[in-house]
Amino acid sequence: TGGESGGFKGTWRVRREGESHEEGERWLERRLQRLANEEKFIGVEVAMGGRRIQVPRAGGGVALFRFDEVCASAMGAGDYTAVASTFHTVGLSRVPRMTIERVDLMRRFITFIDVMYEHKVKLLACAPTSAATLFESSGGKGQRDEEFAWDRAASRLAEMSTQEYVEAPWRPKSGAWLLEQARVTEVVPPDVLRGLWQRYDADHNGVLDEQELEELLADLNQMRRGHRNVPQEQLDSAWEMLTNRGQRGTRDREGMGGAKPSRRGDAFITFECFIKYGNEAFAACMTLA
């Protein structure tokens, strides 16, 4: 079931009779890893003000959650917005049937769907039935509002599986907003830096080039100073700090063929250096903006 377009041969997968949750989850993870350029999934955190959202599996701008992790937790619309502004694609496994007895889960799921839809996040999910029939209404009085709300959500899910939606550009909130939520003026925990990497490695090739770093610094300046101008001195300072404090040694990074960081040619910043020196680079850059 679901639309077919691009890399999405169905965005909503109905579990076959007798199929385990684990089988559905493996299908979803394989599909998502292809969209993440086969990048290995790791645990990261997305910051939302003073809270930190656990993302157990993420890579290449893609995140994979279980339903209960986003809908049976304390997460709300703001948290979903931070997720939608970090990941262009989100997978959701173990989606259950919606019932009036757990209408709280359904309402939170509807909020999640609305936020993903508004930010044009690609959503893949595994569920026991089609979206249109996922809500089991008993037909009792007072349920009409819930039926209407789910019908609207199911309509959005159907639209999210169309070629037009899948090909629509991602619409995250600004990078300045995301950096503000991460509180980069303070010490950023390593798992939150891993989350920010998902946003700024825009081409998801596993390294940051100079253009991607400049975009991050422009967002930092927007947050701190209200402008997006990146002085050359600021760019140079960040580059030196993030390429192993300016050391030009060969980087032993799987898949990179031992390329050397430099200001010319094949310049790049590795994931490892971003995590190791990110806080020092942020601190240095904020004095030069």
Side-chain angles (χ1 to χ4, degrees):
T1 63
E4 292 196 10
S5 58
F8 293 81
K9 296 177 181 176
T11 58
W12 185 274
R13 185 176 194 262
V14 175
R15 285 202 321 273
R16 296 186 298 272
E17 187 176 349
E19 184 180 68
S20 68
H21 284 299
E22 289 74 18
E23 287 176 285
E25 211 160 55
R26 284 194 293 271
W27 170 87
L28 193 55
E29 188 162 355
R30 286 194 302 271
R31 191 65 63 89
L32 290 169
Q33 285 202 309
R34 285 199 291 272
L35 296 170
N37 295 328
E38 303 296 340
E39 190 167 313
K40 182 181 177 182
F41 284 174
I42 60 172
V44 306
E45 291 180 351
V46 174
M48 178 59 195
R51 298 191 306 283
R52 285 154 62 179
I53 303 159
Q54 304 290 326
V55 185
R57 287 166 287 184
V62 170
L64 173 57
F65 293 97
R66 290 179 176 174
F67 178 88
D68 284 354
E69 290 167 345
V70 294
C71 297
S73 66
M75 289 175 69
D79 303 299
Y80 299 152
T81 299
V83 168
S85 297
T86 304
F87 303 102
H88 59 77
T89 301
V90 172
L92 200 60
S93 69
R94 306 192 181 209
V95 176
R97 292 183 183 274
M98 304 290 116
T99 65
I100 201 67
E101 288 76 24
R102 291 305 310 271
V103 73
D104 57 319
L105 294 182
M106 185 176 80
R107 288 171 179 166
R108 200 169 281 140
F109 188 29
I110 289 172
T111 300
F112 175 80
I113 293 165
D114 286 345
V115 172
M116 298 301 116
Y117 178 88
E118 288 159 10
H119 294 85
K120 292 293 180 280
V121 173
K122 283 56 175 173
L123 178 64
L124 282 75
C126 285
T129 183
S130 69
T133 58
L134 197 64
F135 176 43
E136 296 179 324
S137 172
S138 62
K141 290 183 178 180
Q143 292 187 28
R144 187 161 296 176
D145 286 348
E146 305 300 345
E147 291 172 0
F148 176 79
W150 181 254
D151 286 347
R152 175 181 166 278
S155 177
R156 283 200 157 178
L157 287 169
E159 183 181 342
M160 291 167 83
S161 72
T162 63
Q163 181 171 347
E164 182 180 4
Y165 181 93
V166 168
E167 293 178 352
W170 180 37
R171 290 203 311 231
K173 287 185 77 70
S174 72
W177 179 88
L178 200 65
L179 292 174
E180 186 176 1
Q181 302 311 314
R183 296 183 172 177
V184 294
T185 55
E186 305 169 14
V187 175
V188 182
D191 280 350
V192 175
L193 286 172
R194 291 184 182 99
L196 289 174
W197 176 274
Q198 303 295 319
R199 170 70 180 255
Y200 287 101
D201 179 17
D203 57 8
H204 310 301
N205 66 346
V207 296
L208 293 188
D209 59 27
E210 193 165 326
Q211 184 176 350
E212 290 166 331
L213 176 61
E214 190 168 1
E215 178 68 17
L216 188 159
L217 296 179
D219 287 340
L220 183 66
N221 293 346
Q222 180 73 46
M223 181 197 78
R224 292 275 293 165
R225 310 291 187 191
H227 68 77
R228 297 186 60 78
N229 179 54
V230 179
Q232 190 64 43
E233 181 185 8
Q234 187 187 30
L235 184 60
D236 289 345
S237 174
W239 190 265
E240 292 298 313
M241 185 69 71
L242 288 166
T243 51
N244 201 11
R245 289 176 173 261
Q247 296 176 25
R248 299 307 185 195
T250 299
R251 300 294 301 161
D252 292 325
R253 187 179 187 280
E254 185 179 352
M256 293 310 301
K260 298 178 181 178
S262 69
R263 295 283 294 148
R264 299 283 186 268
D266 60 351
F268 68 86
I269 295 163
T270 68
F271 174 78
E272 293 83 358
C273 284
F274 184 78
I275 305 307
K276 188 172 183 179
Y277 303 120
N279 278 299
E280 294 174 65
F282 283 140
C285 287
M286 283 187 278
T287 67
L288 296 171

